[in-house]
Structures are given as structure tokens and as C-alpha cells.
Coordinates of all heavy atoms in Angstrom, one line a residue:
M1284 N 120.6 128.3 97.9 CA 119.6 127.3 98.7 C 120.0 125.9 98.3 O 120.1 125.6 97.1 CB 118.2 127.7 98.3 CG 117.7 128.8 99.1 SD 117.4 128.5 100.9 CE 115.9 127.5 100.8
K1285 N 120.0 125.1 99.3 CA 120.1 123.7 99.2 C 118.8 123.0 98.9 O 117.8 123.4 99.4 CB 120.7 123.1 100.4 CG 122.2 122.9 100.3 CD 122.7 121.8 101.2 CE 123.0 122.3 102.7 NZ 123.5 121.3 103.6
N1286 N 118.8 122.1 98.0 CA 117.6 121.3 97.7 C 117.8 119.9 98.1 O 118.4 119.1 97.4 CB 117.2 121.4 96.2 CG 116.5 122.6 95.9 OD1 115.6 123.1 96.6 ND2 116.9 123.2 94.8
P1287 N 117.5 119.5 99.3 CA 117.7 118.2 99.7 C 117.0 117.2 98.9 O 115.8 117.4 98.6 CB 117.2 118.1 101.2 CG 116.6 119.4 101.5 CD 116.7 120.3 100.3
V1288 N 117.6 116.1 98.6 CA 117.0 115.0 97.8 C 116.7 113.8 98.7 O 117.5 113.4 99.5 CB 117.9 114.6 96.7 CG1 117.4 113.4 95.9 CG2 118.2 115.7 95.7
R1289 N 115.5 113.3 98.5 CA 115.0 112.2 99.4 C 114.5 111.2 98.5 O 114.1 111.4 97.3 CB 114.0 112.6 100.4 CG 114.5 113.6 101.4 CD 115.4 113.0 102.4 NE 115.8 113.9 103.5 CZ 116.9 114.6 103.4 NH1 117.7 114.6 102.3 NH2 117.3 115.4 104.4
M1290 N 114.4 109.9 99.0 CA 113.9 108.8 98.2 C 112.4 108.4 98.6 O 112.1 108.3 99.8 CB 114.8 107.7 98.4 CG 114.6 106.5 97.4 SD 115.8 105.2 97.6 CE 115.3 104.5 99.1
C1291 N 111.6 108.2 97.6 CA 110.3 107.7 97.8 C 110.4 106.3 98.2 O 111.2 105.5 97.6 CB 109.4 107.8 96.5 SG 107.9 107.0 96.6
I1292 N 109.7 105.8 99.3 CA 109.8 104.5 99.8 C 109.2 103.5 98.8 O 109.5 102.3 99.0 CB 109.2 104.4 101.2 CG1 107.7 104.7 101.1 CG2 109.9 105.2 102.2 CD1 106.8 103.9 102.1
Y1293 N 108.4 103.9 97.9 CA 107.7 102.9 97.1 C 108.5 102.8 95.7 O 108.8 101.7 95.4 CB 106.3 103.3 96.9 CG 105.5 102.2 96.2 CD1 105.4 100.9 96.8 CD2 104.9 102.5 95.0 CE1 104.7 100.0 96.1 CE2 104.2 101.5 94.3 CZ 104.1 100.2 94.9 OH 103.4 99.3 94.2
C1294 N 108.6 103.8 95.0 CA 109.2 103.7 93.6 C 110.6 103.8 93.7 O 111.3 103.6 92.7 CB 108.6 104.7 92.7 SG 108.8 106.4 93.1
K1295 N 111.2 104.3 94.9 CA 112.6 104.4 95.1 C 113.3 105.5 94.2 O 114.5 105.5 94.1 CB 113.4 103.1 94.9 CG 112.7 101.9 95.6 CD 113.1 101.9 97.0 CE 112.6 100.6 97.6 NZ 112.6 100.6 99.1
K1296 N 112.4 106.4 93.7 CA 113.0 107.5 92.9 C 113.5 108.6 93.8 O 112.8 108.8 94.9 CB 111.9 108.0 91.9 CG 111.7 107.2 90.8 CD 110.7 107.8 89.8 CE 110.2 106.8 88.7 NZ 108.9 107.2 88.3
R1297 N 114.5 109.1 93.4 CA 115.0 110.2 94.2 C 114.5 111.6 93.7 O 114.5 111.8 92.5 CB 116.5 110.3 94.1 CG 117.1 109.1 95.0 CD 118.6 109.0 94.9 NE 119.1 107.8 95.5 CZ 119.3 107.8 96.9 NH1 119.0 108.8 97.6 NH2 119.6 106.6 97.5
K1298 N 114.0 112.4 94.6 CA 113.4 113.6 94.3 C 113.7 114.7 95.2 O 114.1 114.4 96.4 CB 111.8 113.5 94.1 CG 111.4 112.6 93.0 CD 109.8 112.4 93.1 CE 109.3 111.4 92.1 NZ 108.9 112.0 90.9
F1299 N 113.5 115.9 94.8 CA 113.7 117.0 95.8 C 112.7 116.8 96.9 O 111.5 116.5 96.7 CB 113.6 118.3 95.2 CG 114.6 118.7 94.2 CD1 114.4 119.0 92.9 CD2 116.0 118.6 94.6 CE1 115.5 119.3 92.0 CE2 117.0 118.9 93.8 CZ 116.8 119.3 92.5
Q1300 N 113.1 117.2 98.1 CA 112.2 117.0 99.3 C 110.9 117.7 99.1 O 109.9 117.2 99.5 CB 112.9 117.5 100.5 CG 112.4 117.2 101.8 CD 113.2 117.5 103.0 OE1 114.3 117.8 102.9 NE2 112.6 117.5 104.2
K1301 N 110.9 118.8 98.5 CA 109.6 119.6 98.3 C 108.6 118.9 97.4 O 107.4 119.2 97.4 CB 110.0 121.0 97.8 CG 110.6 121.0 96.5 CD 111.0 122.4 96.0 CE 111.8 122.4 94.7 NZ 112.3 123.7 94.2
E1302 N 109.2 118.0 96.6 CA 108.3 117.2 95.7 C 107.7 116.0 96.3 O 107.0 115.2 95.7 CB 109.0 116.8 94.4 CG 109.5 118.0 93.6 CD 110.4 117.5 92.5 OE1 109.9 116.8 91.6 OE2 111.6 117.9 92.4
L1303 N 108.1 115.7 97.5 CA 107.7 114.5 98.2 C 106.7 114.8 99.4 O 106.7 115.9 99.9 CB 108.9 113.8 98.8 CG 109.9 113.2 97.7 CD1 111.2 112.9 98.3 CD2 109.3 111.9 97.1
I1304 N 106.0 113.9 99.8 CA 105.1 114.0 100.9 C 105.8 113.3 102.1 O 106.1 112.2 102.1 CB 103.8 113.4 100.7 CG1 103.2 113.9 99.4 CG2 102.8 113.6 101.9 CD1 102.1 113.0 98.8
R1305 N 106.0 114.0 103.2 CA 106.6 113.5 104.3 C 105.5 112.9 105.3 O 104.7 113.7 105.8 CB 107.4 114.5 105.1 CG 108.4 113.9 106.1 CD 109.4 115.0 106.6 NE 110.5 114.4 107.3 CZ 111.5 115.0 107.9 NH1 111.5 116.3 107.8 NH2 112.4 114.4 108.6
L1306 N 105.7 111.7 105.6 CA 104.6 111.0 106.4 C 105.3 110.3 107.6 O 106.4 110.1 107.7 CB 103.9 109.9 105.5 CG 103.2 110.4 104.3 CD1 102.8 109.3 103.4 CD2 102.0 111.2 104.7
Q1307 N 104.4 110.0 108.5 CA 104.8 109.1 109.6 C 103.7 108.2 110.0 O 102.5 108.5 109.6 CB 105.5 109.9 110.7 CG 104.4 110.7 111.5 CD 105.1 111.4 112.6 OE1 104.8 112.6 112.9 NE2 106.0 110.8 113.3
C1308 N 103.9 107.3 110.9 CA 102.8 106.5 111.4 C 102.6 106.7 112.8 O 103.5 106.7 113.6 CB 103.1 105.0 111.2 SG 103.2 104.5 109.5
I1309 N 101.4 107.0 113.1 CA 101.0 107.1 114.6 C 99.9 106.2 114.8 O 98.8 106.3 114.2 CB 100.6 108.6 114.9 CG1 101.8 109.5 114.6 CG2 100.2 108.7 116.3 CD1 101.4 111.0 114.7
D1310 N 100.1 105.2 115.7 CA 99.0 104.3 116.1 C 98.4 103.7 114.8 O 97.2 103.6 114.6 CB 97.9 105.0 116.9 CG 98.5 105.3 118.3 OD1 99.4 104.8 118.7 OD2 97.9 106.3 118.9
K1311 N 99.3 103.2 114.0 CA 98.8 102.4 112.7 C 98.1 103.3 111.8 O 97.5 102.8 110.8 CB 97.9 101.2 113.1 CG 98.7 100.2 114.0 CD 97.8 99.0 114.1 CE 98.4 98.0 115.1 NZ 97.8 96.7 115.1
E1312 N 98.1 104.5 111.9 CA 97.5 105.4 110.9 C 98.6 106.4 110.3 O 99.5 106.8 111.0 CB 96.5 106.3 111.5 CG 95.1 105.6 111.7 CD 94.1 106.5 112.3 OE1 93.9 107.5 111.7 OE2 93.6 106.2 113.4
L1313 N 98.4 106.6 109.0 CA 99.4 107.5 108.3 C 99.0 108.9 108.7 O 97.8 109.3 108.7 CB 99.2 107.3 106.9 CG 99.9 106.0 106.3 CD1 99.5 105.9 104.8 CD2 101.3 106.1 106.4
R1314 N 100.0 109.7 108.9 CA 99.8 111.1 109.2 C 100.9 111.9 108.5 O 102.0 111.4 108.2 CB 99.9 111.3 110.7 CG 99.0 110.6 111.5 CD 97.9 111.5 112.0 NE 97.0 110.8 112.9 CZ 95.7 110.5 112.8 NH1 95.2 110.8 111.6 NH2 95.1 109.9 113.7
Y1315 N 100.6 113.1 108.3 CA 101.6 114.0 107.9 C 102.7 114.1 109.1 O 102.3 113.9 110.2 CB 101.1 115.4 107.7 CG 100.6 115.6 106.3 CD1 99.4 116.1 106.0 CD2 101.6 115.4 105.2 CE1 99.0 116.3 104.7 CE2 101.2 115.6 103.9 CZ 99.9 116.1 103.6 OH 99.5 116.3 102.3
F1316 N 103.9 114.3 108.7 CA 104.9 114.3 109.7 C 104.7 115.4 110.6 O 104.5 116.6 110.2 CB 106.3 114.5 109.0 CG 107.5 114.5 109.9 CD1 107.6 113.5 110.7 CD2 108.4 115.5 109.8 CE1 108.8 113.4 111.6 CE2 109.5 115.5 110.7 CZ 109.7 114.4 111.6
T1317 N 104.7 115.1 111.9 CA 104.4 116.1 112.9 C 105.7 116.8 113.4 O 105.6 117.8 114.2 CB 103.7 115.5 114.2 OG1 104.7 114.5 114.7 CG2 102.4 114.8 113.8
G1318 N 106.8 116.3 113.0 CA 108.0 116.9 113.5 C 108.7 116.1 114.6 O 109.9 116.4 114.9
I1319 N 108.1 115.1 115.0 CA 108.6 114.3 116.1 C 108.5 112.7 115.6 O 107.5 112.4 115.0 CB 107.8 114.4 117.4 CG1 107.9 115.8 117.8 CG2 108.4 113.4 118.4 CD1 106.9 116.1 118.9
G1320 N 109.7 112.1 115.7 CA 109.6 110.7 115.4 C 110.2 110.4 114.0 O 110.7 111.2 113.3
R1321 N 110.0 109.1 113.7 CA 110.5 108.6 112.4 C 109.6 109.0 111.3 O 108.4 109.0 111.4 CB 110.6 107.1 112.5 CG 111.5 106.5 111.5 CD 111.8 105.0 111.9 NE 112.5 104.4 110.8 CZ 111.9 103.8 109.8 NH1 110.6 103.8 109.7 NH2 112.6 103.3 108.8
S1322 N 110.1 109.4 110.2 CA 109.3 109.7 109.0 C 109.9 109.1 107.8 O 110.9 108.6 107.8 CB 109.3 111.3 108.9 OG 110.6 111.7 108.5
F1323 N 109.1 109.2 106.7 CA 109.5 108.6 105.4 C 108.8 109.4 104.4 O 107.9 110.2 104.6 CB 109.2 107.2 105.3 CG 107.8 106.8 105.7 CD1 106.8 106.8 104.8 CD2 107.5 106.4 107.0 CE1 105.5 106.5 105.0 CE2 106.2 106.1 107.4 CZ 105.2 106.1 106.4
Y1324 N 109.2 109.3 103.2 CA 108.7 110.0 102.0 C 108.0 109.2 101.0 O 108.4 108.1 100.7 CB 109.9 110.8 101.4 CG 110.6 111.8 102.3 CD1 111.6 111.4 103.1 CD2 110.1 113.1 102.3 CE1 112.2 112.3 104.0 CE2 110.7 114.0 103.1 CZ 111.8 113.6 103.9 OH 112.4 114.6 104.7
L1325 N 107.0 109.8 100.5 CA 106.2 109.2 99.4 C 106.1 110.3 98.3 O 105.8 111.5 98.7 CB 104.9 108.8 99.9 CG 104.1 107.7 99.1 CD1 104.9 106.4 99.1 CD2 102.8 107.5 99.7
C1326 N 106.3 110.0 97.0 CA 106.1 110.9 96.1 C 104.6 111.1 95.7 O 103.8 110.2 96.0 CB 107.0 110.6 94.8 SG 106.4 109.2 93.9
H1327 N 104.3 112.1 95.0 CA 102.9 112.4 94.6 C 102.3 111.3 93.7 O 101.1 111.0 93.8 CB 102.8 113.8 94.0 CG 102.9 114.9 95.0 ND1 101.9 115.3 95.9 CD2 104.1 115.6 95.4 CE1 102.4 116.2 96.7 NE2 103.7 116.4 96.4
D1328 N 103.1 110.9 92.8 CA 102.7 109.7 91.9 C 102.2 108.5 92.7 O 101.2 108.0 92.5 CB 103.8 109.3 91.0 CG 104.3 110.4 90.0 OD1 103.4 111.4 89.9 OD2 105.4 110.4 89.5
C1329 N 103.0 108.1 93.6 CA 102.8 106.9 94.4 C 101.6 107.2 95.4 O 100.9 106.3 95.7 CB 104.0 106.4 95.2 SG 105.3 105.9 94.1
S1330 N 101.5 108.3 95.9 CA 100.4 108.7 96.9 C 99.1 108.4 96.3 O 98.1 108.3 97.0 CB 100.6 110.1 97.4 OG 100.2 111.0 96.4
S1331 N 99.0 108.6 95.0 CA 97.6 108.4 94.3 C 97.3 106.9 94.0 O 96.2 106.6 93.5 CB 97.5 109.2 93.1 OG 98.5 108.9 92.2
L1332 N 98.3 106.1 94.2 CA 98.1 104.6 93.9 C 97.2 104.0 95.0 O 97.2 104.4 96.2 CB 99.4 103.9 93.9 CG 100.4 104.3 92.8 CD1 101.7 103.6 93.0 CD2 99.9 104.0 91.4
K1333 N 96.6 103.0 94.7 CA 95.7 102.2 95.6 C 96.1 100.7 95.6 O 95.3 99.9 95.7 CB 94.3 102.3 95.3 CG 93.7 103.8 95.3 CD 93.4 104.2 96.8 CE 92.9 105.7 96.7 NZ 93.0 106.3 98.0
E1334 N 97.5 100.5 95.5 CA 97.9 99.2 95.4 C 98.2 98.5 96.7 O 98.6 99.2 97.6 CB 99.2 99.1 94.5 CG 98.9 99.6 93.1 CD 100.2 99.6 92.3 OE1 101.2 99.0 92.8 OE2 100.2 100.1 91.2
K1335 N 98.0 97.2 96.7 CA 98.3 96.5 97.9 C 99.8 96.5 98.2 O 100.2 96.5 99.4 CB 97.8 95.0 97.8 CG 96.3 94.9 98.1 CD 95.9 93.4 98.1 CE 94.5 93.3 98.5 NZ 94.0 91.9 98.4
K1336 N 100.5 96.6 97.2 CA 102.0 96.6 97.3 C 102.4 97.8 98.1 O 103.4 97.9 98.8 CB 102.7 96.5 96.0 CG 103.0 95.1 95.6 CD 103.5 95.0 94.1 CE 105.0 95.5 94.0 NZ 105.5 95.5 92.7
L1337 N 101.7 98.9 97.7 CA 102.0 100.2 98.4 C 101.7 100.1 99.9 O 102.5 100.5 100.7 CB 101.2 101.4 97.8 CG 101.3 102.7 98.5 CD1 102.8 103.2 98.5 CD2 100.5 103.7 97.8
L1338 N 100.6 99.4 100.2 CA 100.3 99.2 101.6 C 101.4 98.4 102.3 O 101.7 98.6 103.5 CB 99.0 98.5 101.8 CG 97.7 99.3 101.6 CD1 96.5 98.5 101.7 CD2 97.6 100.5 102.7
K1339 N 101.9 97.5 101.6 CA 103.0 96.6 102.2 C 104.2 97.4 102.4 O 104.9 97.3 103.5 CB 103.4 95.5 101.2 CG 102.6 94.2 101.4 CD 103.3 93.0 100.7 CE 102.9 91.7 101.3 NZ 103.6 90.6 100.8
S1340 N 104.6 98.3 101.5 CA 105.7 99.2 101.7 C 105.5 100.1 102.9 O 106.4 100.3 103.7 CB 106.0 100.0 100.5 OG 106.6 99.2 99.4
L1341 N 104.3 100.6 103.0 CA 104.0 101.5 104.1 C 104.1 100.8 105.4 O 104.6 101.2 106.4 CB 102.7 102.2 103.9 CG 102.6 103.1 102.7 CD1 101.1 103.5 102.5 CD2 103.3 104.4 103.0
S1342 N 103.5 99.5 105.4 CA 103.5 98.7 106.6 C 105.0 98.4 107.1 O 105.3 98.4 108.3 CB 102.8 97.4 106.3 OG 101.5 97.6 106.1
R1343 N 105.8 98.2 106.0 CA 107.2 97.9 106.4 C 107.9 99.1 107.1 O 108.5 99.0 108.1 CB 108.0 97.5 105.2 CG 109.2 96.7 105.5 CD 110.0 96.4 104.2 NE 109.2 95.8 103.2 CZ 109.1 96.2 101.9 NH1 109.8 97.2 101.5 NH2 108.3 95.6 101.1
E1344 N 107.6 100.3 106.6 CA 108.1 101.5 107.2 C 107.6 101.7 108.6 O 108.3 102.2 109.4 CB 107.7 102.7 106.3 CG 108.4 102.8 104.9 CD 110.0 102.8 105.1 OE1 110.5 103.6 106.0 OE2 110.7 102.0 104.4
C1345 N 106.3 101.4 108.7 CA 105.7 101.7 110.0 C 106.0 100.6 111.0 O 105.7 100.7 112.2 CB 104.2 101.8 109.9 SG 103.7 103.2 108.9
K1346 N 106.5 99.4 110.5 CA 106.7 98.3 111.4 C 105.3 97.8 112.0 O 105.3 97.1 113.0 CB 107.7 98.5 112.5 CG 109.0 99.1 112.0 CD 110.1 98.0 112.2 CE 111.5 98.5 111.8 NZ 111.7 99.7 111.1
K1347 N 104.3 98.2 111.4 CA 102.9 97.7 111.7 C 102.1 97.6 110.5 O 102.4 98.2 109.5 CB 102.3 98.8 112.6 CG 102.7 98.8 114.1 CD 102.1 99.9 114.8 CE 102.7 100.0 116.2 NZ 102.1 101.1 117.0
E1348 N 101.1 96.8 110.6 CA 100.4 96.6 109.4 C 99.4 97.7 109.2 O 98.5 98.1 109.9 CB 99.5 95.3 109.4 CG 99.0 94.8 108.1 CD 98.2 93.6 108.2 OE1 98.1 93.0 109.3 OE2 97.6 93.3 107.1
I1349 N 99.5 98.4 108.0 CA 98.7 99.4 107.6 C 97.6 98.7 106.7 O 97.9 98.2 105.7 CB 99.4 100.5 106.8 CG1 100.6 101.1 107.6 CG2 98.5 101.6 106.3 CD1 100.1 101.8 108.8
K1350 N 96.3 98.9 107.1 CA 95.3 98.2 106.4 C 94.6 99.2 105.4 O 94.0 98.7 104.4 CB 94.3 97.7 107.4 CG 94.8 96.6 108.2 CD 93.9 95.5 108.6 CE 94.5 94.3 109.1 NZ 94.4 94.0 110.4
T1351 N 94.5 100.4 105.7 CA 93.9 101.3 104.8 C 94.8 102.5 104.4 O 95.7 102.8 105.3 CB 92.6 101.9 105.2 OG1 92.8 102.5 106.5 CG2 91.6 100.8 105.4
I1352 N 94.7 103.0 103.3 CA 95.5 104.2 102.9 C 94.4 105.3 102.5 O 93.6 105.1 101.7 CB 96.5 103.9 101.8 CG1 97.3 105.1 101.5 CG2 95.8 103.2 100.6 CD1 98.5 104.8 100.7
D1353 N 94.5 106.3 103.2 CA 93.6 107.4 103.0 C 94.4 108.7 102.8 O 94.1 109.7 103.5 CB 92.6 107.5 104.1 CG 91.4 108.3 103.7 OD1 91.3 108.7 102.5 OD2 90.5 108.5 104.5
L1354 N 95.3 108.7 101.9 CA 96.1 109.9 101.7 C 95.3 111.0 101.1 O 95.6 112.2 101.4 CB 97.2 109.5 100.7 CG 98.4 108.8 101.3 CD1 99.3 108.2 100.2 CD2 99.2 109.6 102.3
E1355 N 94.3 110.7 100.4 CA 93.5 111.8 99.8 C 92.9 112.7 100.9 O 93.0 113.9 100.8 CB 92.4 111.2 99.0 CG 92.8 111.1 97.5 CD 91.8 110.2 96.7 OE1 90.6 110.6 96.7 OE2 92.2 109.2 96.2
S1356 N 92.4 112.1 101.9 CA 91.8 112.9 103.0 C 92.9 113.6 103.8 O 92.7 114.7 104.2 CB 90.9 112.0 103.9 OG 91.7 111.2 104.7
L1357 N 94.0 112.9 103.8 CA 95.2 113.5 104.5 C 95.6 114.8 103.7 O 95.9 115.9 104.2 CB 96.4 112.6 104.5 CG 96.7 111.8 105.7 CD1 98.0 110.9 105.4 CD2 96.9 112.6 106.9
L1358 N 95.6 114.7 102.4 CA 96.1 115.8 101.5 C 95.1 116.8 101.4 O 95.5 118.0 101.3 CB 96.5 115.2 100.1 CG 97.6 114.2 100.0 CD1 97.7 113.6 98.6 CD2 98.9 114.8 100.5
N1359 N 93.8 116.5 101.4 CA 92.8 117.5 101.2 C 92.3 118.1 102.6 O 91.6 119.1 102.6 CB 91.6 116.9 100.5 CG 92.0 116.5 99.1 OD1 92.9 117.1 98.4 ND2 91.5 115.4 98.6
G1360 N 92.5 117.3 103.6 CA 91.9 117.7 104.8 C 92.8 118.5 105.7 O 93.8 118.7 106.0
Ligands
ZN1109 ZN1 107.1 107.2 94.4

């Protein structure tokens, strides 16, 4: 079995894909990857951060300003 390695957009650490959260932006909101469109990866360590720098990184990926990060509800909901 292949274990694809992907990079977390925030800490830039390379991890196995299964250890990362695959996200995308839809209408300025973070969502789990739906299978369509551009996506990016965030590791579990970074997903629990509430830093402004993280929002900046996410905004850069989304090409739109992300003002809030609510990954907890994404992950739990
Ligand atoms: Zn990370």
C-alpha cells in the first residue's frame, strides 16, 4: 500500500495523508474537502491552534480572507 505524503500548509511538516485534514474553501468558509475543487492539508496539531497567523495562511490558500476558524465544529460535527 502506498502512503502518500502531503505537507501541512501551516507548519510545512510533511506527514502521511491520513494524518492530515483535507480542507477546502467554499464561499469564504472552511469545509472538509468535498471531492471537487482545490484542497489543502492541515495537520492535527495546527488545526487546534487559534492563531492569527494560521488564519493568514488559510486565507492565502483560499485566496480570500478567512475571518474565523471553526475547525472544532468541522471536526466534531
Ligand atoms: Zn501543521
Side-chain angles (χ1 to χ4, degrees):
M1284 273 291 281
K1285 263 203 274 180
N1286 279 317
V1288 174
R1289 295 288 182 270
M1290 190 175 73
C1291 170
I1292 58 146
Y1293 189 61
C1294 64
K1295 312 281 189 195
K1296 282 182 194 154
R1297 289 176 185 277
K1298 291 171 184 270
F1299 291 126
Q1300 194 171 344
K1301 62 185 176 185
E1302 298 173 61
L1303 295 159
I1304 305 159
R1305 193 171 191 179
L1306 298 168
Q1307 72 179 139
C1308 289
I1309 300 172
D1310 294 332
K1311 300 188 185 186
E1312 281 184 56
L1313 286 171
R1314 301 260 190 241
Y1315 271 126
F1316 184 53
T1317 58
I1319 302 164
R1321 201 170 170 272
S1322 67
F1323 50 90
Y1324 295 89
L1325 199 65
C1326 70
H1327 288 276
D1328 296 341
C1329 293
S1330 72
S1331 58
L1332 299 174
K1333 298 282 180 195
E1334 294 178 13
K1335 279 188 177 171
K1336 271 173 73 182
L1337 174 60
L1338 283 176
K1339 269 196 158 184
S1340 284
L1341 292 167
S1342 297
R1343 202 182 308 129
E1344 290 301 313
C1345 294
K1346 307 249 183 350
K1347 281 176 182 175
E1348 196 182 355
I1349 303 296
K1350 295 213 162 108
T1351 55
I1352 179 166
D1353 198 2
L1354 283 170
E1355 271 168 56
S1356 69
L1357 265 180
L1358 297 172
N1359 299 325

